[in-house]
Each structure stands twice: as C-alpha cells, then as structure tokens.
Amino acid sequence: MSRTESRASAVRRTHGPAPLRKLRHSVSALLVTLLAASAVLLGAGGAQAAGYRYWSFWEGSGTGWAYATQGPSIVRPDDGTVQGFRFAVSEDSSDADQPRHAPDFGAICADTPAKGGTKRVALVIDPGTPEDAPDGEKPPALRTACAQVAPDASSAEALASVAKPLRYDSSAMICAISGYPKTGCGEQVSGDGDGGTKESEDSGEKPSAPADGDEDSGSGSGGGPSVGLVVGIAAVLLLGVAAVFQARRRR
C-alpha cells in the first residue's frame, strides 16, 4: 500500500467516509438550530404579559378558598357564608392568589349576633401586596367584616354594606373596594425584568370572572407555539435523522 493510500485509510478510520461526515455536520447544525429556537421561545414566554391586575372573588368553605364561578352581583349567599376578595396580578383563575386569611365564619362574625329577618355573611377583604399595587399606590391592610343584610341580598350588596366606596366598570366588574385602587380596572401588566410589573401598552381583554359572570377559563399561555410542541417536533426530527444515519452506516 502506498503512503498516500495509507494516509487516506487512516483519515477514513478517524473521521469516517465523507457522506457520514456531512451527515454529522448536518445533525450538529440541526441541534444548534433547535437549541437556538428553544431559547428564543423560552425568552418570548418570559416576555409575555404577566397577567391582569384585578379584584378576584372567592367562596370559602371548611377546607379553604375556591375561585367563584359567578360574579358577586349574581351570587346570593346563604346565612353563615364566608366570601373573599383579593387584589393581585394573575393570568387567570388557575393561578390567582387567594385571600390571605382563613375563611372562618365563627371568628369573623363572633361579635355580630344573629337577628331575625337578616343573614350574616363573613367577608375577607385582602388588598394584596405592594408588588401588585398600581404605581404610586399603597395597599391598605387586610381586613375582615361581618355583613348583616337582607336574606335576598347579593354578595355585592353585602360587600357594599361594609366596604364603601365601591367602583365598577361598564361591564359590572369590581374596580375598587373601599376606594382602592384609586384608578385602573383589570388592566393588563407585563414583566419588567426585575420581578415587578408594569402596565402594558396593549391592554388586551380584561379578565371576565371576578365580577361579571362565568369563571375565566383561559389558559394564560399567550400566543405562539408552546415549548412542549417545539420539543416534540425536535424529537421527531432527531429520530428521523438518527434512522438515516444508522441506515447509511450499515451500507
């Protein structure tokens, strides 16, 4: 065997035939592209809207809080009911922050004796944290109240009896309880990159559940393909490339 042939044979043993080298380069390029695409999508997901700033409505039970499926202007609670209102930023009902006080009717209404012709509704009013407050505003302290109202009174009427002034928008969504916040109503906010929030230039649709009807069933995932979809497509492509690679090696 000549020196040139020996050198060529050594190159083939070390690096493989030219077609396989090209295939490896193609696989490497594909992996780099997929990783870059995943990074872009993950970055885009982090830049999407953080959610909406609003008062959410909750119903209490012996086991805790449940996000209300109807607005307070529709619900007519029974005597002995506990209901909560929490101001915070959330994408939808699935990640909404609960009131930070136990739904304990006995403790909240302990100093309000039962009276004929009325019902008692225990209320937890939680204005949330400074991080969720609109710019320039400070949330008041969490408080509880025992509303004693007519038997057919709605949750909104019970709230109004102990927490005026209330502010609503044109769709009957609660915008402010006891005057907080002073402005805004269900506005969309976006992450500012420092753990806080800021108002989005495009307010989008307001959350539907807190005051005006059915529970918000949105996924909160935003537009564009999900990371899971991208990973699935990448897995299929890589399996296909691996199959071709193995087939060529057997030749």
Side-chain angles (χ1 to χ4, degrees):
M1 180 182 295
S2 68
R3 183 177 298 177
T4 301
E5 291 173 341
S6 177
R7 184 178 299 169
S9 177
V11 169
R12 284 195 296 270
R13 287 196 302 271
T14 304
H15 301 286
L20 290 181
R21 292 201 303 273
K22 291 180 180 180
L23 186 58
R24 287 174 184 148
H25 288 317
S26 299
V27 172
S28 298
L30 177 61
L31 287 173
V32 171
T33 301
L34 289 173
L35 288 173
S38 298
V40 169
L41 285 173
L42 288 172
Q48 289 176 355
Y52 296 88
R53 182 185 288 118
Y54 66 99
W55 282 99
S56 56
F57 176 44
W58 300 80
E59 296 179 322
S61 66
T63 58
W65 293 104
Y67 198 93
T69 58
Q70 293 180 308
S73 61
I74 297 175
V75 175
R76 298 189 181 280
D78 295 329
D79 180 71
T81 297
V82 184
Q83 300 190 317
F85 296 85
R86 171 68 190 269
F87 189 77
V89 174
S90 61
E91 292 185 18
D92 52 42
S93 60
S94 65
D95 79 331
D97 292 329
Q98 298 181 3
R100 296 169 298 169
H101 190 286
D104 188 340
F105 177 84
I108 296 172
C109 288
D111 297 329
T112 306
K115 185 192 316 184
T118 65
K119 65 181 177 183
R120 292 176 297 167
V121 179
L123 299 171
V124 175
I125 304 168
D126 185 352
T129 66
E131 289 74 20
D132 290 327
D135 290 343
E137 296 202 51
K138 180 180 178 180
L142 180 153
R143 70 186 184 94
T144 62
C146 186
Q148 195 159 41
V149 291
D152 62 346
S154 66
S155 299
E157 290 171 325
L159 179 66
S161 71
V162 297
K164 289 181 179 178
L166 303 180
R167 177 165 57 86
Y168 291 87
D169 71 359
S170 59
S171 64
M173 177 177 178
I174 291 182
C175 302
I177 296 176
S178 296
Y180 179 79
K182 296 178 181 178
T183 61
C185 190
E187 66 271 19
Q188 190 178 35
V189 296
S190 60
D192 62 5
D194 297 318
T197 59
K198 63 180 180 181
E199 293 187 11
S200 170
E201 293 180 0
D202 181 8
S203 61
E205 295 182 0
K206 293 181 180 180
S208 61
D212 61 357
D214 295 337
E215 181 178 4
D216 185 357
S217 59
S219 64
S221 59
S226 67
V227 174
L229 177 61
V230 173
V231 172
I233 293 173
V236 172
L237 290 174
L238 288 176
L239 287 173
V241 171
V244 174
F245 182 80
Q246 291 295 333
R248 292 194 177 186
R249 288 191 61 184
R250 294 192 185 101
R251 293 178 181 176

PDB file of all heavy atoms in Angstrom, residues 154-185:
ATOM      1  N   SER A 154     -77.352  40.158  47.546  1.00  0.00           N
ATOM      2  CA  SER A 154     -76.274  39.544  46.788  1.00  0.00           C
ATOM      3  C   SER A 154     -74.945  39.751  47.516  1.00  0.00           C
ATOM      4  O   SER A 154     -74.854  40.535  48.475  1.00  0.00           O
ATOM      5  CB  SER A 154     -76.185  40.158  45.395  1.00  0.00           C
ATOM      6  OG  SER A 154     -75.793  41.523  45.489  1.00  0.00           O
ATOM      7  N   SER A 155     -73.927  39.087  47.038  1.00  0.00           N
ATOM      8  CA  SER A 155     -72.599  39.270  47.620  1.00  0.00           C
ATOM      9  C   SER A 155     -72.122  40.703  47.432  1.00  0.00           C
ATOM     10  O   SER A 155     -71.448  41.267  48.309  1.00  0.00           O
ATOM     11  CB  SER A 155     -71.605  38.303  46.966  1.00  0.00           C
ATOM     12  OG  SER A 155     -71.990  36.964  47.189  1.00  0.00           O
ATOM     13  N   ALA A 156     -72.448  41.294  46.289  1.00  0.00           N
ATOM     14  CA  ALA A 156     -72.059  42.683  46.039  1.00  0.00           C
ATOM     15  C   ALA A 156     -72.735  43.620  47.033  1.00  0.00           C
ATOM     16  O   ALA A 156     -72.124  44.586  47.520  1.00  0.00           O
ATOM     17  CB  ALA A 156     -72.415  43.074  44.609  1.00  0.00           C
ATOM     18  N   GLU A 157     -73.989  43.344  47.370  1.00  0.00           N
ATOM     19  CA  GLU A 157     -74.703  44.179  48.343  1.00  0.00           C
ATOM     20  C   GLU A 157     -74.122  43.992  49.739  1.00  0.00           C
ATOM     21  O   GLU A 157     -74.009  44.963  50.514  1.00  0.00           O
ATOM     22  CB  GLU A 157     -76.185  43.839  48.315  1.00  0.00           C
ATOM     23  CG  GLU A 157     -76.874  44.284  47.029  1.00  0.00           C
ATOM     24  CD  GLU A 157     -78.293  43.752  46.901  1.00  0.00           C
ATOM     25  OE1 GLU A 157     -78.559  42.606  47.341  1.00  0.00           O
ATOM     26  OE2 GLU A 157     -79.150  44.477  46.355  1.00  0.00           O
ATOM     27  N   ALA A 158     -73.737  42.761  50.062  1.00  0.00           N
ATOM     28  CA  ALA A 158     -73.110  42.521  51.363  1.00  0.00           C
ATOM     29  C   ALA A 158     -71.786  43.266  51.453  1.00  0.00           C
ATOM     30  O   ALA A 158     -71.475  43.896  52.473  1.00  0.00           O
ATOM     31  CB  ALA A 158     -72.898  41.021  51.563  1.00  0.00           C
ATOM     32  N   LEU A 159     -71.016  43.242  50.373  1.00  0.00           N
ATOM     33  CA  LEU A 159     -69.741  43.955  50.348  1.00  0.00           C
ATOM     34  C   LEU A 159     -69.954  45.460  50.479  1.00  0.00           C
ATOM     35  O   LEU A 159     -69.243  46.138  51.229  1.00  0.00           O
ATOM     36  CB  LEU A 159     -69.000  43.630  49.047  1.00  0.00           C
ATOM     37  CG  LEU A 159     -67.655  44.302  48.842  1.00  0.00           C
ATOM     38  CD1 LEU A 159     -66.645  43.812  49.878  1.00  0.00           C
ATOM     39  CD2 LEU A 159     -67.129  44.036  47.427  1.00  0.00           C
ATOM     40  N   ALA A 160     -70.936  45.981  49.770  1.00  0.00           N
ATOM     41  CA  ALA A 160     -71.198  47.419  49.799  1.00  0.00           C
ATOM     42  C   ALA A 160     -71.602  47.893  51.193  1.00  0.00           C
ATOM     43  O   ALA A 160     -71.348  49.049  51.562  1.00  0.00           O
ATOM     44  CB  ALA A 160     -72.280  47.777  48.791  1.00  0.00           C
ATOM     45  N   SER A 161     -72.199  47.009  51.991  1.00  0.00           N
ATOM     46  CA  SER A 161     -72.653  47.416  53.318  1.00  0.00           C
ATOM     47  C   SER A 161     -71.499  47.626  54.300  1.00  0.00           C
ATOM     48  O   SER A 161     -71.683  48.267  55.336  1.00  0.00           O
ATOM     49  CB  SER A 161     -73.624  46.371  53.886  1.00  0.00           C
ATOM     50  OG  SER A 161     -72.936  45.172  54.235  1.00  0.00           O
ATOM     51  N   VAL A 162     -70.318  47.099  53.955  1.00  0.00           N
ATOM     52  CA  VAL A 162     -69.203  47.209  54.900  1.00  0.00           C
ATOM     53  C   VAL A 162     -67.926  47.787  54.275  1.00  0.00           C
ATOM     54  O   VAL A 162     -66.955  48.049  54.991  1.00  0.00           O
ATOM     55  CB  VAL A 162     -68.860  45.825  55.502  1.00  0.00           C
ATOM     56  CG1 VAL A 162     -70.025  45.279  56.309  1.00  0.00           C
ATOM     57  CG2 VAL A 162     -68.438  44.837  54.422  1.00  0.00           C
ATOM     58  N   ALA A 163     -67.907  47.997  52.955  1.00  0.00           N
ATOM     59  CA  ALA A 163     -66.645  48.382  52.313  1.00  0.00           C
ATOM     60  C   ALA A 163     -66.807  49.457  51.255  1.00  0.00           C
ATOM     61  O   ALA A 163     -66.139  49.439  50.229  1.00  0.00           O
ATOM     62  CB  ALA A 163     -65.980  47.143  51.693  1.00  0.00           C
ATOM     63  N   LYS A 164     -67.686  50.422  51.488  1.00  0.00           N
ATOM     64  CA  LYS A 164     -67.820  51.533  50.535  1.00  0.00           C
ATOM     65  C   LYS A 164     -66.608  52.439  50.622  1.00  0.00           C
ATOM     66  O   LYS A 164     -65.945  52.504  51.669  1.00  0.00           O
ATOM     67  CB  LYS A 164     -69.092  52.322  50.846  1.00  0.00           C
ATOM     68  CG  LYS A 164     -70.376  51.581  50.509  1.00  0.00           C
ATOM     69  CD  LYS A 164     -71.578  52.453  50.825  1.00  0.00           C
ATOM     70  CE  LYS A 164     -72.882  51.747  50.464  1.00  0.00           C
ATOM     71  NZ  LYS A 164     -74.059  52.575  50.809  1.00  0.00           N
ATOM     72  N   PRO A 165     -66.281  53.170  49.535  1.00  0.00           N
ATOM     73  CA  PRO A 165     -66.984  53.162  48.249  1.00  0.00           C
ATOM     74  C   PRO A 165     -66.477  52.053  47.324  1.00  0.00           C
ATOM     75  O   PRO A 165     -65.289  51.724  47.335  1.00  0.00           O
ATOM     76  CB  PRO A 165     -66.626  54.537  47.669  1.00  0.00           C
ATOM     77  CG  PRO A 165     -65.258  54.821  48.216  1.00  0.00           C
ATOM     78  CD  PRO A 165     -65.243  54.231  49.593  1.00  0.00           C
ATOM     79  N   LEU A 166     -67.402  51.492  46.559  1.00  0.00           N
ATOM     80  CA  LEU A 166     -67.049  50.525  45.534  1.00  0.00           C
ATOM     81  C   LEU A 166     -67.041  51.233  44.187  1.00  0.00           C
ATOM     82  O   LEU A 166     -67.787  52.177  43.968  1.00  0.00           O
ATOM     83  CB  LEU A 166     -68.056  49.363  45.493  1.00  0.00           C
ATOM     84  CG  LEU A 166     -68.268  48.576  46.793  1.00  0.00           C
ATOM     85  CD1 LEU A 166     -69.288  47.464  46.557  1.00  0.00           C
ATOM     86  CD2 LEU A 166     -66.961  48.006  47.307  1.00  0.00           C
ATOM     87  N   ARG A 167     -66.198  50.754  43.287  1.00  0.00           N
ATOM     88  CA  ARG A 167     -66.152  51.310  41.933  1.00  0.00           C
ATOM     89  C   ARG A 167     -66.249  50.172  40.934  1.00  0.00           C
ATOM     90  O   ARG A 167     -65.546  49.169  41.060  1.00  0.00           O
ATOM     91  CB  ARG A 167     -64.855  52.113  41.735  1.00  0.00           C
ATOM     92  CG  ARG A 167     -64.679  52.680  40.333  1.00  0.00           C
ATOM     93  CD  ARG A 167     -63.576  53.753  40.319  1.00  0.00           C
ATOM     94  NE  ARG A 167     -62.302  53.259  40.808  1.00  0.00           N
ATOM     95  CZ  ARG A 167     -61.387  52.625  40.043  1.00  0.00           C
ATOM     96  NH1 ARG A 167     -61.644  52.402  38.756  1.00  0.00           N
ATOM     97  NH2 ARG A 167     -60.239  52.230  40.565  1.00  0.00           N
ATOM     98  N   TYR A 168     -67.121  50.325  39.961  1.00  0.00           N
ATOM     99  CA  TYR A 168     -67.335  49.302  38.932  1.00  0.00           C
ATOM    100  C   TYR A 168     -67.038  49.879  37.559  1.00  0.00           C
ATOM    101  O   TYR A 168     -67.075  51.106  37.359  1.00  0.00           O
ATOM    102  CB  TYR A 168     -68.784  48.807  38.950  1.00  0.00           C
ATOM    103  CG  TYR A 168     -69.179  47.996  40.159  1.00  0.00           C
ATOM    104  CD1 TYR A 168     -69.632  48.615  41.319  1.00  0.00           C
ATOM    105  CD2 TYR A 168     -69.119  46.601  40.131  1.00  0.00           C
ATOM    106  CE1 TYR A 168     -69.999  47.873  42.431  1.00  0.00           C
ATOM    107  CE2 TYR A 168     -69.490  45.849  41.236  1.00  0.00           C
ATOM    108  CZ  TYR A 168     -69.929  46.486  42.380  1.00  0.00           C
ATOM    109  OH  TYR A 168     -70.301  45.754  43.478  1.00  0.00           O
ATOM    110  N   ASP A 169     -66.784  48.993  36.578  1.00  0.00           N
ATOM    111  CA  ASP A 169     -66.697  49.456  35.196  1.00  0.00           C
ATOM    112  C   ASP A 169     -68.026  49.182  34.496  1.00  0.00           C
ATOM    113  O   ASP A 169     -68.991  48.727  35.115  1.00  0.00           O
ATOM    114  CB  ASP A 169     -65.523  48.801  34.458  1.00  0.00           C
ATOM    115  CG  ASP A 169     -65.734  47.316  34.169  1.00  0.00           C
ATOM    116  OD1 ASP A 169     -66.785  46.751  34.558  1.00  0.00           O
ATOM    117  OD2 ASP A 169     -64.837  46.708  33.544  1.00  0.00           O
ATOM    118  N   SER A 170     -68.080  49.442  33.201  1.00  0.00           N
ATOM    119  CA  SER A 170     -69.337  49.328  32.466  1.00  0.00           C
ATOM    120  C   SER A 170     -69.835  47.897  32.347  1.00  0.00           C
ATOM    121  O   SER A 170     -71.015  47.668  32.061  1.00  0.00           O
ATOM    122  CB  SER A 170     -69.178  49.921  31.059  1.00  0.00           C
ATOM    123  OG  SER A 170     -68.140  49.249  30.352  1.00  0.00           O
ATOM    124  N   SER A 171     -68.948  46.909  32.580  1.00  0.00           N
ATOM    125  CA  SER A 171     -69.370  45.505  32.499  1.00  0.00           C
ATOM    126  C   SER A 171     -69.676  44.923  33.872  1.00  0.00           C
ATOM    127  O   SER A 171     -69.802  43.713  34.015  1.00  0.00           O
ATOM    128  CB  SER A 171     -68.275  44.669  31.815  1.00  0.00           C
ATOM    129  OG  SER A 171     -67.090  44.665  32.605  1.00  0.00           O
ATOM    130  N   ALA A 172     -69.782  45.757  34.889  1.00  0.00           N
ATOM    131  CA  ALA A 172     -70.098  45.369  36.267  1.00  0.00           C
ATOM    132  C   ALA A 172     -68.943  44.663  36.958  1.00  0.00           C
ATOM    133  O   ALA A 172     -69.121  43.956  37.937  1.00  0.00           O
ATOM    134  CB  ALA A 172     -71.349  44.488  36.317  1.00  0.00           C
ATOM    135  N   MET A 173     -67.746  44.869  36.456  1.00  0.00           N
ATOM    136  CA  MET A 173     -66.561  44.319  37.111  1.00  0.00           C
ATOM    137  C   MET A 173     -66.133  45.241  38.246  1.00  0.00           C
ATOM    138  O   MET A 173     -66.101  46.460  38.088  1.00  0.00           O
ATOM    139  CB  MET A 173     -65.425  44.194  36.093  1.00  0.00           C
ATOM    140  CG  MET A 173     -64.121  43.701  36.701  1.00  0.00           C
ATOM    141  SD  MET A 173     -62.856  43.510  35.431  1.00  0.00           S
ATOM    142  CE  MET A 173     -61.478  42.985  36.433  1.00  0.00           C
ATOM    143  N   ILE A 174     -65.823  44.653  39.406  1.00  0.00           N
ATOM    144  CA  ILE A 174     -65.379  45.464  40.536  1.00  0.00           C
ATOM    145  C   ILE A 174     -63.991  46.028  40.246  1.00  0.00           C
ATOM    146  O   ILE A 174     -63.048  45.280  39.986  1.00  0.00           O
ATOM    147  CB  ILE A 174     -65.345  44.639  41.834  1.00  0.00           C
ATOM    148  CG1 ILE A 174     -66.765  44.286  42.266  1.00  0.00           C
ATOM    149  CG2 ILE A 174     -64.632  45.405  42.940  1.00  0.00           C
ATOM    150  CD1 ILE A 174     -66.825  43.519  43.562  1.00  0.00           C
ATOM    151  N   CYS A 175     -63.878  47.342  40.289  1.00  0.00           N
ATOM    152  CA  CYS A 175     -62.597  48.008  40.041  1.00  0.00           C
ATOM    153  C   CYS A 175     -61.918  48.429  41.342  1.00  0.00           C
ATOM    154  O   CYS A 175     -60.681  48.456  41.409  1.00  0.00           O
ATOM    155  CB  CYS A 175     -62.806  49.244  39.169  1.00  0.00           C
ATOM    156  SG  CYS A 175     -63.582  48.911  37.570  1.00  0.00           S
ATOM    157  N   ALA A 176     -62.699  48.797  42.352  1.00  0.00           N
ATOM    158  CA  ALA A 176     -62.121  49.267  43.613  1.00  0.00           C
ATOM    159  C   ALA A 176     -63.035  48.900  44.769  1.00  0.00           C
ATOM    160  O   ALA A 176     -64.265  48.934  44.645  1.00  0.00           O
ATOM    161  CB  ALA A 176     -61.898  50.774  43.578  1.00  0.00           C
ATOM    162  N   ILE A 177     -62.416  48.533  45.880  1.00  0.00           N
ATOM    163  CA  ILE A 177     -63.137  48.243  47.125  1.00  0.00           C
ATOM    164  C   ILE A 177     -62.586  49.193  48.191  1.00  0.00           C
ATOM    165  O   ILE A 177     -61.361  49.299  48.368  1.00  0.00           O
ATOM    166  CB  ILE A 177     -62.955  46.782  47.562  1.00  0.00           C
ATOM    167  CG1 ILE A 177     -63.585  45.843  46.526  1.00  0.00           C
ATOM    168  CG2 ILE A 177     -63.577  46.540  48.936  1.00  0.00           C
ATOM    169  CD1 ILE A 177     -63.377  44.369  46.831  1.00  0.00           C
ATOM    170  N   SER A 178     -63.491  49.891  48.872  1.00  0.00           N
ATOM    171  CA  SER A 178     -63.097  50.924  49.842  1.00  0.00           C
ATOM    172  C   SER A 178     -62.154  51.936  49.206  1.00  0.00           C
ATOM    173  O   SER A 178     -61.203  52.424  49.840  1.00  0.00           O
ATOM    174  CB  SER A 178     -62.448  50.276  51.072  1.00  0.00           C
ATOM    175  OG  SER A 178     -63.369  49.453  51.748  1.00  0.00           O
ATOM    176  N   GLY A 179     -62.397  52.230  47.933  1.00  0.00           N
ATOM    177  CA  GLY A 179     -61.613  53.235  47.235  1.00  0.00           C
ATOM    178  C   GLY A 179     -60.253  52.780  46.745  1.00  0.00           C
ATOM    179  O   GLY A 179     -59.484  53.596  46.209  1.00  0.00           O
ATOM    180  N   TYR A 180     -59.933  51.499  46.901  1.00  0.00           N
ATOM    181  CA  TYR A 180     -58.637  51.000  46.448  1.00  0.00           C
ATOM    182  C   TYR A 180     -58.813  49.996  45.316  1.00  0.00           C
ATOM    183  O   TYR A 180     -59.614  49.072  45.428  1.00  0.00           O
ATOM    184  CB  TYR A 180     -57.886  50.327  47.586  1.00  0.00           C
ATOM    185  CG  TYR A 180     -56.537  49.767  47.151  1.00  0.00           C
ATOM    186  CD1 TYR A 180     -55.433  50.603  46.996  1.00  0.00           C
ATOM    187  CD2 TYR A 180     -56.395  48.409  46.865  1.00  0.00           C
ATOM    188  CE1 TYR A 180     -54.213  50.091  46.575  1.00  0.00           C
ATOM    189  CE2 TYR A 180     -55.180  47.899  46.441  1.00  0.00           C
ATOM    190  CZ  TYR A 180     -54.090  48.741  46.297  1.00  0.00           C
ATOM    191  OH  TYR A 180     -52.880  48.238  45.875  1.00  0.00           O
ATOM    192  N   PRO A 181     -58.050  50.181  44.229  1.00  0.00           N
ATOM    193  CA  PRO A 181     -57.142  51.287  43.939  1.00  0.00           C
ATOM    194  C   PRO A 181     -57.898  52.518  43.449  1.00  0.00           C
ATOM    195  O   PRO A 181     -59.071  52.428  43.074  1.00  0.00           O
ATOM    196  CB  PRO A 181     -56.252  50.704  42.832  1.00  0.00           C
ATOM    197  CG  PRO A 181     -57.148  49.759  42.103  1.00  0.00           C
ATOM    198  CD  PRO A 181     -58.018  49.143  43.155  1.00  0.00           C
ATOM    199  N   LYS A 182     -57.217  53.648  43.418  1.00  0.00           N
ATOM    200  CA  LYS A 182     -57.879  54.886  43.020  1.00  0.00           C
ATOM    201  C   LYS A 182     -58.198  54.905  41.527  1.00  0.00           C
ATOM    202  O   LYS A 182     -59.191  55.504  41.110  1.00  0.00           O
ATOM    203  CB  LYS A 182     -57.000  56.090  43.370  1.00  0.00           C
ATOM    204  CG  LYS A 182     -56.766  56.261  44.867  1.00  0.00           C
ATOM    205  CD  LYS A 182     -55.842  57.432  45.140  1.00  0.00           C
ATOM    206  CE  LYS A 182     -55.584  57.598  46.627  1.00  0.00           C
ATOM    207  NZ  LYS A 182     -54.637  58.704  46.908  1.00  0.00           N
ATOM    208  N   THR A 183     -57.345  54.276  40.740  1.00  0.00           N
ATOM    209  CA  THR A 183     -57.552  54.259  39.290  1.00  0.00           C
ATOM    210  C   THR A 183     -57.307  52.853  38.750  1.00  0.00           C
ATOM    211  O   THR A 183     -56.786  51.987  39.452  1.00  0.00           O
ATOM    212  CB  THR A 183     -56.588  55.228  38.577  1.00  0.00           C
ATOM    213  OG1 THR A 183     -55.233  54.812  38.841  1.00  0.00           O
ATOM    214  CG2 THR A 183     -56.791  56.651  39.065  1.00  0.00           C
ATOM    215  N   GLY A 184     -57.679  52.654  37.490  1.00  0.00           N
ATOM    216  CA  GLY A 184     -57.439  51.368  36.840  1.00  0.00           C
ATOM    217  C   GLY A 184     -58.560  50.385  37.094  1.00  0.00           C
ATOM    218  O   GLY A 184     -59.306  50.491  38.085  1.00  0.00           O
ATOM    219  N   CYS A 185     -58.642  49.403  36.171  1.00  0.00           N
ATOM    220  CA  CYS A 185     -59.665  48.374  36.339  1.00  0.00           C
ATOM    221  C   CYS A 185     -59.329  47.174  35.449  1.00  0.00           C
ATOM    222  O   CYS A 185     -59.554  47.213  34.242  1.00  0.00           O
ATOM    223  CB  CYS A 185     -61.041  48.919  35.979  1.00  0.00           C
ATOM    224  SG  CYS A 185     -62.377  47.786  36.445  1.00  0.00           S
TER     225      CYS A 185
END
